[in-house]
Amino acid sequence: MAEQVYDVIVIGSGVMGSSTAYSLAKKGKKALILEQFPVLHSRGSSHGLSRITRLAYREQYYTDMMVDAFKMVAELERETGSELWINCGTLSIGPENDDYLRDVEKALNKVGAAVDTLTNDQMRKRYPMMSYPQNYVGLLDRKGGLLKADCILRALQTVFRQRGGEIRDCEPVMGIHPGATVTVTTSKGSYRAASVVVAAGSWTDKILRPLGLSVPVTIERVTVCYCKELHPDSHSAQHFPCFIEYKGSPPHDMWGLPSYEYTGYAKIALHTGPEISPDTRDQPDGKWVTDRVTAYVKEHFPGLESTPSITEQCIYTMTPDEDFIIDQHPLHHNIIVATGFSGHGFKLAPVVGDAISDMAIGRVPKYDMKPFKIARFKTAARL
Ligand SMILES: Cc1cc2nc3c(=O)[nH]c(=O)nc-3n(C[C@H](O)[C@H](O)[C@H](O)COP(=O)(O)OP(=O)(O)OC[C@H]3O[C@@H](n4cnc5c(N)ncnc54)[C@H](O)[C@@H]3O)c2cc1C
């Protein structure tokens, strides 16, 4: 029997690889996902029960993409008969006249979003569990909320499989051999495809180097903290929004979500952490991160115990400008690179997956992909 040639092999079963594979299957293409760990593992960036979603972006191109991302999550809900997000709103917090908040408001208004601009007094009235200095205001993106992250990942993979897609897990990719038909070798065998998508998160540089390309990403270990409510139900999604306090970098944003994965514990994190290698992520440094969160909660959330009761780890793959890298390999155009989702990719994954799947099958994506080109970095090296 002739060896099967897939339309596309996707390396990585995180939310980007899974969204890409889902889109490919819906476009009638035969795709294979190769994953080094057991699927739904917690060693990368896509695990966990919740993520923030929002239309509210400073950059208009993300806000435009988010309009479609919400529609695509609704479609996935219909396909799987499951509820995949909670519409509790996402609040951007900052000093009044802050450039960031103004740009976000502009982008939201351009897409006709439902926005509440809250003075400090209005913010305190609506969210009495928050306390920010008098010159701080809020911008409530009413469309925002909490994505049920694990459920979304599972839903994407389920539909992919139902439509004939294959997932091979516990099978690390060892090499990619370019050509008109690309051969991918793993710990267990080799597979061929017309094109390959490298959606390997923090491991992408390691995979690309033998192909003569290095991507300028740094890997950070982020500690997610869960702080206990002093009064039952005070920080549930009925009362408490997702929030982001934009501070720039450094001192880095703070973000949080209502209590969801652990009833009675709000989820709060600092948008950075110690630089690590994805293969040695568990080294016990980074107490400064929980210290920062503790101080922040003490200052702004009087209804929470400031010392986190539970902490969890996840990894960010950061680009220097925090925009994504989604592009063809400069020499091998049927190898697509998708990495550097910089701690904010989950909500955009359905749209990103649609765009990558188009690139992988030679179609032009419907989104402006210029902000995501590798060549914008002088440090991206052809080795
Ligand atoms: C703590 C935290 C909070 C976040 N909060 C938000 C949020 O609120 N909103 C939001 O929109 N985004 C958020 N993000 C960002 C978002 O989760 C990520 O951008 C997204 O999950 C990145 O997905 P990925 O598929 O690129 O990477 P990953 O999920 O890491 O997937 C890459 C996969 O490739 C596999 N792989 C690697 N090498 C190989 C190999 N050689 N062979 C086979 N498989 C391989 C890995 O095992 C992994 O499964 C957050 C991220 C973290 C860590």
Side-chain angles (χ1 to χ4, degrees), residues 34-240:
L34 293 170
E35 168 56 52
Q36 63 181 346
F37 298 135
V39 282
L40 301 174
H41 67 89
S42 57
R43 311 298 300 162
S45 303
S46 301
H47 60 282
L49 296 186
S50 65
R51 293 288 188 281
I52 299 173
T53 190
R54 57 190 156 108
L55 277 170
Y57 261 97
R58 179 175 211 166
E59 300 81 2
Q60 189 70 46
Y61 46 90
Y62 286 127
T63 301
D64 291 343
M65 289 166 101
M66 279 308 305
V67 172
D68 283 356
F70 276 104
K71 291 182 192 152
M72 291 164 87
V73 169
E75 191 179 329
L76 192 58
E77 286 183 319
R78 283 192 296 275
E79 283 170 322
T80 55
S82 46
E83 190 198 65
L84 297 175
W85 73 295
I86 299 170
N87 181 205
C88 56
T90 296
L91 184 69
S92 299
I93 301 167
E96 55 194 336
N97 303 322
D98 180 63
D99 284 347
Y100 172 78
L101 287 185
R102 271 205 213 137
D103 290 346
V104 168
E105 193 172 13
K106 237 187 270 166
L108 287 171
N109 287 335
K110 209 158 167 205
V111 296
V115 191
D116 293 340
T117 309
L118 305 176
T119 62
N120 191 277
D121 288 344
Q122 288 164 334
M123 198 159 70
R124 277 173 194 265
K125 202 163 165 206
R126 187 162 321 180
Y127 301 116
M129 71 293 279
M130 292 183 168
S131 168
Y132 284 88
Q134 198 56 40
N135 66 326
Y136 272 58
V137 294
L139 197 62
L140 179 67
D141 168 3
R142 282 201 260 137
K143 180 84 181 163
L146 179 156
L147 291 175
K148 299 184 179 181
D150 270 6
C151 298
I152 290 178
L153 198 53
R154 206 172 301 127
L156 291 166
Q157 293 174 2
T158 301
V159 175
F160 171 61
R161 282 190 167 116
Q162 281 166 350
R163 289 179 174 252
E166 286 174 54
I167 303 180
R168 291 177 177 269
D169 65 354
C170 304
E171 195 165 339
V173 167
M174 318 296 272
I176 300 175
H177 309 280
T181 301
V182 187
T183 302
V184 178
T185 54
T186 70
S187 56
K188 294 183 185 165
S190 72
Y191 306 90
R192 299 190 328 131
S195 61
V196 166
V197 172
V198 184
S202 301
W203 291 265
T204 301
D205 195 61
K206 187 172 159 187
I207 293 181
L208 291 175
R209 278 179 172 264
L211 295 178
L213 184 67
S214 175
V215 282
V217 292
T218 50
I219 315 303
E220 293 173 5
R221 190 184 67 215
V222 173
T223 300
V224 178
C225 300
Y226 296 89
C227 297
K228 193 174 188 318
E229 296 171 337
L230 299 179
H231 305 289
D233 197 40
S234 53
H235 294 71
S236 68
Q238 274 155 317
H239 308 291
F240 188 61

Side-chain angles (χ1 to χ4, degrees), residues 5-27:
V5 178
Y6 294 92
D7 291 314
V8 184
I9 291 174
V10 178
I11 302 174
S13 71
V15 74
M16 297 306 171
S18 297
S19 297
T20 302
Y22 161 87
S23 286
L24 286 164
K26 290 185 70 169
K27 288 169 187 164

